[in-house]
């Protein structure tokens, strides 16, 4: 019999600093981005793209500290002993080292913080743009299924700080944050379905970051097309596997998936992805075709973009999207793009937004995408006792500004631009002095016969 393996619990960490995209930022950028029309820019960013605020990392934070924070949250919330973890994999595309696995830095932070020694923990880093953490999750689950684990838990962490040049269309899709997934047998949250993970990969130039560059090179519109094509192909491969394994196809497959979580570089992207996936499913379903035809959606002959545009305006789509996708998008609206963590923030958003409903036994589909390009589609079944694993999760509450009972602090435009200009190696003074968190304390500067550590990163826990 298959052993249930999957996500037992989730920890989320988002830096406290943020930029409100409807405030002074929009006034300052309107000249470059919308011909001086501030209202138009705000409308585009909030409605057209779907974001309102973006999280920004402070000077003492980087992708490793964010990862360690998310890890600490999931460890503390689950009440597990860190010595019961034997695999700690980090998916990131904004690592702090060209050689060392960022997971080793995270491991060191956890060892020092908990006062434990974890010498037999595997600590790889997975890099493939925004899909790295999903490859890490697949590896963690597979080694557990194979029985290669020596301890009951693995930790998979997605951590990134997304950064594009100022005053470009990418700027308003930045963000920062990390999500840690505790992987176990008999998981409380989501048992991943064995044999139902599909993968596609294509050698693409939609988004990349050559060595030495701090911002990504992105062909924005093209990256959307590649995302959609890869997601469509991965979903088709997933559907074939589901048909073969569970005998579910067409309308039955659509009904069997209660929620769709997609990679969310920005919330509207999940709408485009839904249109692509739902559209393909509905075109093969006579009942859905009849409903769409009645709403004058062109079912044949029209270019695909026109079909999908009409589809997204149809009642059938709006209702399906509201029920099966929208709950996964509310955190992204407040945080922005966290690259490898975006899909898992979507999962956290869904679980929080549906608090009070019973999701036990429901199927959640995860559609992961990374530029360059690869997509994976997998699914899981929500556990019977999943609410116990959710008690600690309060991301929406935390994301309120301090003045409204949350933990967030707005950034002035000049402070934001100063932080944006920092590189991994020149961090400067933090804006919010760290307290109760992991922090980058200093970079090594020694170069002698006895000790060489130039550029090595020293992290510590700052109490308070
Ligand atoms: C995503 C990205 C390409 C968007 O660029 P952009 O120039 O803002 O895009 P658009 O001009 O197409 O506008 C986006 C949407 O806003 C809508 N819009 C424009 N002005 C608007 C306004 N004033 N009010 C409401 N909506 C508006 C557009 O119609 C469009 O919606 P549609 O697709 O339904 O037609 C850009 O932010 C980017 O390059 N981001 C980084 C890369 C990325 O995230 N890629 C995703 C795949 S991984």
């Amino acid at each position: 019999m298959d052993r249930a393996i999957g996500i037992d619990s989730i920890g989320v960490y988002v830096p406290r600093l943020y930029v409100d995209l409807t405030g002074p930022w929009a006034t300052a950028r309107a000249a470059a981005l919308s011909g001086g029309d501030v209202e138009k820019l705000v409308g585009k960013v909030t409605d057209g793209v779907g974001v309102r605020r973006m999280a920004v990392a402070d000077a003492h934070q980087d992708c490793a500290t964010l990862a360690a924070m998310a890890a600490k949250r999931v460890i503390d919330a689950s009440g597990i002993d860190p010595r019961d973890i034997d695999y700690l994999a980090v998916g990131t595309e904004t690592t702090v080292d060209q050689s060392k696995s960022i997971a080793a830095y995270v491991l060191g932070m956890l060892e020092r913080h908990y006062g434990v020694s974890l010498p037999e923990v595997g600590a790889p880093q997975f890099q493939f743009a925004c899909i790295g953490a999903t490859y890490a999750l697949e590896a963690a689950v597979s080694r557990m299924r194979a029985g290669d684990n020596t301890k009951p838990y693995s930790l998979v962490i997605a951590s990134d700080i997304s950064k594009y040049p100022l005053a470009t269309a990418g700027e308003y899709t930045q963000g920062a944050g990390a999500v840690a997934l505790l992987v176990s047998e008999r998981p409380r949250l989501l048992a991943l379905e064995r044999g139902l993970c599909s993968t596609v990969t294509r050698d693409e130039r939609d988004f990349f970051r050559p060595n030495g560059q701090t911002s990504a090179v992105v062909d924005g519109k093209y990256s959307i097309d590649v995302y959609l094509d890869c997601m469509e192909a991965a979903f088709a491969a997933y559907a074939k596997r589901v048909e073969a394994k569970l005998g579910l196809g067409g309308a039955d497959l659509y009904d069997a998936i209660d929620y769709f979580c997609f990679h969310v570089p920005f919330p509207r992207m999940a709408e485009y992805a839904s249109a692509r996936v739902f559209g393909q499913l509905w075109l093969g379903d006579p009942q859905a075709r009849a409903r769409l035809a009645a709403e004058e959606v062109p079912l044949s002959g029209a270019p695909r973009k026109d079909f999908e545009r009409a589809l997204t305006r149809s009642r059938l789509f709006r209702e399906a999207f509201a029920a099966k996708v929208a709950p996964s998008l509310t955190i992204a609206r407040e945080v922005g793009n966290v690259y490898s963590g975006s899909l898992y923030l979507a999962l956290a958003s869904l679980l929080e937004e549906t608090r009070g409903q019973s999701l036990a036994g429901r199927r959640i589909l995860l559609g992961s995408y990374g530029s360059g390009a690869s997509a994976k589609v997998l699914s899981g079944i929500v556990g019977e006792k999943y609410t116990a694993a959710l008690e600690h999760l309060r991301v929406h509450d935390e994301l309120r500004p301090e003045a409204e009972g949350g933990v967030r602090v707005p950034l002035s435009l000049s402070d934001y631009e100063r932080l944006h200009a920092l590189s991994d190696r020149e961090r400067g003074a933090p804006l919010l002095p760290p307290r109760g968190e992991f922090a980058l304390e200093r970079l090594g500067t020694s170069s002698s016969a006895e000790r060489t550590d130039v550029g090595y990163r020293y992290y510590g826990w700052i109490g308070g």
Side-chain angles (χ1 to χ4, degrees), residues 176-197:
V179 183
L181 310 172
L182 189 68
V183 174
S184 73
E185 275 190 53
R186 291 182 292 281
R188 288 174 299 171
L189 224 47
L190 197 66
L192 295 172
E193 292 183 282
R194 187 176 189 151
L196 296 185
C197 176

Side-chain angles (χ1 to χ4, degrees), residues 2 5 9 12 20 153 162 277 299 359 374 403 411 414 440 447:
D2 281 0
I5 292 171
S9 183
V12 172
D20 182 343
Y153 299 106
S162 74
V277 168
L299 297 178
L359 262 54
S374 184
L411 270 171
S414 57
L440 174 66
S447 180

Side-chain angles (χ1 to χ4, degrees), residues 56-172:
V56 177
D58 205 337
H60 62 282
Q61 298 176 316
D62 61 22
C63 166
T65 66
L66 303 187
M69 286 303 293
K72 176 176 161 50
R73 287 191 164 189
V74 81
I75 289 170
D76 291 350
S78 319
I80 65 158
D81 185 328
R83 287 168 294 196
D84 281 339
I85 295 169
D86 72 350
Y87 192 66
L88 189 166
V90 179
T92 183
E93 59 177 301
T94 52
T95 187
V96 291
D97 196 285
Q98 292 297 300
S99 174
K100 175 174 168 137
S101 165
I102 199 170
Y105 273 129
V106 175
L107 185 79
M109 281 186 252
L110 297 177
E111 284 184 314
R112 292 189 293 280
H113 178 64
Y114 290 107
V116 294
S117 172
L118 305 169
E120 293 183 21
V121 173
Q125 173 178 313
F126 285 72
Q127 181 183 326
F128 195 153
C130 302
I131 199 174
T134 305
Y135 275 98
L137 177 62
E138 182 183 42
V141 169
S142 296
R143 67 189 284 287
M144 219 173 249
R145 280 198 184 122
D148 286 340
N149 56 311
T150 55
K151 300 285 174 64
Y153 299 106
S154 292
L155 207 49
V156 172
I157 312 172
S159 181
D160 272 307
I161 297 172
S162 74
K163 197 164 160 186
Y164 298 95
L166 299 180
T168 65
E171 187 187 359
Y172 41 85

Side-chain angles (χ1 to χ4, degrees), residues 358-371:
S358 178
L359 262 54
R362 302 285 182 89
R363 178 175 281 110
I364 297 177
L365 180 127
L366 302 175
S368 192
Y369 173 72
S371 290

Side-chain angles (χ1 to χ4, degrees), residues 39-41 43-44 47-49 164 169-170 172-173 206-207 218-221 223-224 227 263 265-266 268-269 272 309 337 369 371:
E39 221 174 285
K40 191 169 157 202
L41 179 59
K44 179 181 189 165
D47 296 335
V49 172
Y164 298 95
Y172 41 85
T173 61
D206 57 328
F207 176 113
V218 57
D219 190 338
K221 302 274 160 58
S223 72
I224 293 175
Y227 174 128
H263 166 51
F266 53 96
R268 283 296 306 292
M269 187 71 232
Y272 306 153
R309 197 166 281 275
N337 189 1
Y369 173 72
S371 290

Side-chain angles (χ1 to χ4, degrees), residues 12 14-16 18 52-53 73 330-331 334-335 345 348-349 351-353 355 390-409:
V12 172
V14 176
R16 295 171 64 205
Y18 72 93
R52 207 158 66 101
R53 295 175 175 143
R73 287 191 164 189
T330 51
I331 293 180
E334 295 295 315
V335 171
L345 262 194
S349 178
L351 294 168
E352 279 203 9
E353 285 288 332
R355 217 190 278 275
L390 280 188
E391 275 161 16
H392 70 284
L393 209 60
R394 297 267 170 237
V395 187
H396 287 95
D397 291 345
E398 280 196 358
L399 288 177
R400 288 203 293 270
E402 259 184 344
E404 295 166 26
V407 302
R408 299 184 98 183
V409 175

